[in-house]
Amino acid sequence: RKEVEQDPGPFNVPEGATVAFNCTYSNSASQSFFWYRQDCRKEPKLLMSVYSSGNEDGRFTAQLNRASQYISLLIRDSKLSDSATYLCVVDKANNNDMRFGAGTRLTVKP
Amino acid sequence: SAVISQKPSRDICQRGTSLTIQCQVDSQVTMMFWYRQQPGQSLTLIATANQGSEATYESGFVIDKFPISRPNLTFSTLTVSNMSPEDSSIYLCSVRVSYNEQFFGPGTRLTVL
């Protein structure tokens, strides 16, 4: 089993749509969780951290379910500029390494 | 935050040769990482390079193939040795400035013929 697994996508949605990405992780001792965004031919950049209580940043909502070892990212009112690959990132417990999911590609169309 | 630059940004190399990639950070950081990202794939950690100690390599990566230097807190190099076409990839330098945030360089796009 991969350490971090994501919906492979691609997701093709119209502007204004709501889209959700899922991610599962294998190490129950992991403590830190993130969503990164990677535009085509660019480096990954932190989108948001994921907290146990869930957190929201504008149109983006991240949630964590430790019991199910599951993380989600919800994007509301999609914009064309949201088109990118979204990477789920989980720390390797008791270690400073981060493990990256394969990414979910999102295309928002007019 | 951290601003990271990498050199070269891209290169095309012949098999059997070696390429050294440089990573420069605008602030002092303890933890620096080297990743590889093959086309259409996610990031794979090659090694962790902390200043003052030997680099720690992930399974599948060895020092003879990917020697790393970390002479100070703002600079590191990764060498891809005895290259083959399978080494064609994007190589990214990354730093951790806090427990919650990791920054990446723009990457070095390597093509091995």
Side-chain angles (χ1 to χ4, degrees):
Chain A
R1 181 183 176 189
K2 290 182 181 178
E3 291 178 277
V4 182
E5 293 199 67
Q6 294 185 240
D7 285 346
F11 284 66
N12 298 304
V13 303
E15 270 187 293
T18 295
V19 61
F21 304 140
N22 303 319
C23 172
T24 58
Y25 59 96
S26 62
N27 192 331
S28 61
S30 293
Q31 296 295 320
S32 299
F33 311 91
F34 310 91
W35 284 101
Y36 275 70
R37 170 189 170 134
Q38 186 172 25
D39 292 289
C40 186
R41 294 180 172 267
K42 298 287 188 181
E43 71 274 21
K45 293 184 179 178
L46 179 66
L47 177 65
M48 59 195 304
S49 301
V50 185
Y51 302 120
S52 295
S53 55
N55 49 301
E56 187 174 308
D57 182 3
R59 297 180 294 107
F60 298 84
T61 300
Q63 293 198 318
L64 168 65
N65 183 323
R66 285 188 184 273
S68 301
Q69 295 176 208
Y70 169 95
I71 305 160
S72 66
L73 176 68
L74 182 76
I75 305 175
R76 291 182 299 277
D77 188 23
S78 301
K79 310 292 185 190
L80 296 178
S81 58
D82 294 334
S83 298
T85 296
Y86 291 83
L87 304 170
C88 176
V89 184
V90 178
D91 76 331
K92 190 175 178 181
N94 300 320
N95 188 301
N96 287 311
D97 295 343
M98 299 291 185
R99 289 292 180 257
F100 287 76
T104 300
R105 186 170 177 180
L106 171 66
T107 301
V108 181
K109 299 183 175 180
Chain B
S1 68
V3 177
I4 305 170
S5 60
Q6 285 185 232
K7 290 181 181 179
S9 59
R10 60 177 62 225
D11 208 341
I12 300 173
C13 302
Q14 297 295 322
R15 71 171 65 210
T17 63
S18 298
L19 176 71
T20 296
I21 302 168
Q22 298 179 9
C23 176
Q24 181 75 53
V25 189
D26 68 341
S27 57
Q28 294 186 336
V29 293
T30 301
M31 301 187 69
M32 189 175 281
F33 308 89
W34 285 99
Y35 288 84
R36 181 171 75 182
Q37 187 173 30
Q38 295 181 311
Q41 305 293 316
S42 190
L43 288 81
T44 300
L45 181 64
I46 296 172
T48 301
N50 293 335
Q51 197 269 337
S53 62
E54 294 282 331
T56 303
Y57 289 82
E58 294 297 300
S59 175
F61 298 96
V62 296
I63 188 171
D64 289 345
K65 176 68 176 176
F66 297 100
I68 289 171
S69 78
R70 184 77 202 276
N72 56 53
L73 291 173
T74 64
F75 187 79
S76 178
T77 67
L78 170 76
T79 299
V80 186
S81 303
N82 188 25
M83 289 184 283
S84 66
E86 292 72 34
D87 295 320
S88 297
S89 188
I90 299 172
Y91 292 84
L92 296 122
C93 170
S94 178
V95 301
R96 184 88 48 80
V97 297
S98 70
Y99 193 67
N100 286 336
E101 192 157 9
Q102 191 161 329
F103 293 88
F104 289 84
T108 296
R109 186 176 297 270
L110 171 62
T111 302
V112 184
L113 303 177

